[in-house]
Amino acid sequence: MRPALLAGAAVAGAVGVAVAAARIPGSGLSPTSVEHGDLGSVLFLVAAFAGFAVYAVGVGLIGRRRAAGSLAAVGALAVVIQLTPLAGPLLLSRDVFAYWDYGDIGARHDGNPYGRTPSWYPHDPAFAAMAPGWRRSPDVYGPAFTLASEGIADASPSRADVAWTFRAAAAAGMLVLVALAAVRARRRALAAAVVGWNPLLALQSAGGGHNDVWMMAFVLAALVLADRSRSVLAGVSWAVAVFIKSVALGLVPVALIASRRQHGLAIGFAAASGTLAAVATALFGTSWIGALASLGGRRSRYSIPSRIAELGVPHPVAFALVVVLAGAVFVLLCRGALHGRARFGVAAIVVLLATPWLLPWYTAWAVPLAAADDDATARWLAIALSAYLLPDRVFV
């Protein structure tokens, strides 16, 4: 186990170097800084890739061991790796300021973030901080997260306070994911390393403050509860995940099929979803239902449909091709769930490969599920996808 733990320590060191690189004046790695040369970005990427290579080696070493391994030591290193980015600046994304602005619309302006866009309040400090591409878009997040954002916006008066709060929450969420993956997996030390030692997740969670971490925390909590025959509570946890970010809905069919003999999951999901929908409608009207329409037509450079389009295939054709292939795989996954093998990690990877809007922090959808499933294929696919997305957003 010692070589694997040395690898984990090396990952922590590499993440520390990457964070230090982001603090170099003029690095441009913080969205609130001005770039003056590529030194910071180059050093950041070298450290991140070196850390990622050692991470993969460490996971491989733990995976080859038949013994359970030292969960306490692996978990301690995971805590260090996931919390280290808190020592640096906000990294690579302005999403936390979008959360702030949507929260401000309700908390400070008594408006409806699903009916009004940030451009209604151009003098709001969050408006200047958020990415320009989202200033004319209504809230695209679930009502549960929007309500949490309103609370944070109300309690955090400054840009720095908001960024720190969301980043600290995401870092805490990552530690919850590490714990839940370890609890669910048969090989607990391996699962904790797969999630907790991943440099990309550390840099994008404690570094970027993204809300995907807490969506997945409720998804994994649902799986842990279902494993323990707490099916009603599992259904409630699935509903909360969906109302944080609706993409979790894509994994619900696999869960419902896998638990078809536990009717409590469907009952809990339906009851909680109905309750949350009623509360959301009372607070925001029905406009929250169409929130994701704001994502229509958006494409990211690293998405698989965009990569296929770079080969000369029209983007609509590329997207349709990927969706058809992903749909076929998803049908097979549902069939497997029907026969007792629910592969949530693979299902999350399929969703990621099909989306035209693929971002680095979305790997939080797949990595924890692959680890919790004890699925070697999903584990290495999720690690490969993380490596592929590692340089995204560094050089724009």
Side-chain angles (χ1 to χ4, degrees), residues 3-283:
L5 294 177
L6 289 174
V11 173
V15 171
V17 172
V19 171
R23 295 182 67 91
I24 295 175
S27 71
L29 289 163
S30 173
T32 59
S33 67
V34 178
E35 186 173 1
H36 297 293
D38 289 336
L39 174 61
S41 296
V42 170
L43 182 57
F44 178 89
L45 269 185
V46 169
F49 270 115
F52 200 91
V54 179
Y55 156 68
V57 170
V59 169
L61 289 172
I62 298 174
R64 290 175 59 184
R65 289 179 57 87
R66 294 184 179 179
S70 175
L71 176 60
V74 170
L77 284 168
V79 170
V80 173
I81 291 167
Q82 294 302 321
L83 296 186
T84 293
L86 290 176
L90 176 68
L91 292 174
L92 303 173
S93 168
R94 295 176 180 267
D95 277 10
V96 293
F97 301 130
Y99 306 159
W100 182 22
D101 202 305
Y102 293 133
D104 254 0
I105 291 174
R108 292 185 59 197
H109 305 292
D110 199 26
N112 181 354
Y114 297 104
R116 295 183 179 181
T117 68
S119 61
W120 278 60
Y121 310 100
H123 301 297
D124 194 299
F127 181 82
M130 71 187 300
W134 295 100
R135 290 174 179 170
R136 296 187 179 278
S137 296
D139 194 340
V140 297
Y141 305 107
F145 181 74
T146 295
L147 289 173
S149 297
E150 287 187 8
I152 292 173
D154 196 38
S156 305
S158 72
R159 178 184 296 193
D161 289 340
V162 166
W164 173 258
T165 301
F166 280 112
R167 291 171 60 204
M174 278 303 308
L175 299 184
V176 171
L177 282 177
V178 172
L180 289 171
V183 166
R184 186 168 193 260
R186 178 176 53 86
R187 304 181 65 183
R188 296 187 173 185
L190 176 59
V194 170
V195 181
W197 293 7
N198 187 306
L200 179 62
L201 292 181
L203 294 168
Q204 297 292 350
S205 297
H210 298 284
N211 60 5
D212 303 82
V213 174
W214 279 104
M215 173 189 74
M216 291 310 304
F218 280 96
V219 169
L220 255 71
L223 298 183
V224 170
L225 288 166
D227 290 344
R228 285 154 176 73
S229 299
R230 305 295 296 272
S231 55
V232 173
L233 289 177
V236 172
S237 193
W238 273 110
V240 174
V242 170
F243 276 76
I244 291 174
K245 202 167 183 180
S246 62
V247 69
L249 192 61
L251 300 174
V252 171
V254 178
L256 291 174
I257 292 171
S259 64
R260 64 194 183 281
R261 293 188 179 91
Q262 297 180 10
H263 302 299
L265 192 145
I267 294 170
F269 179 72
S273 296
T275 301
L276 291 170
V279 171
T281 302
L283 293 172

Side-chain angles (χ1 to χ4, degrees), residues 298-314:
R298 291 186 181 268
R299 307 169 187 171
S300 65
R301 193 176 111 190
Y302 275 70
S303 74
I304 303 307
S306 292
R307 292 303 193 190
I308 295 175
E310 289 175 0
L311 302 176
V313 179

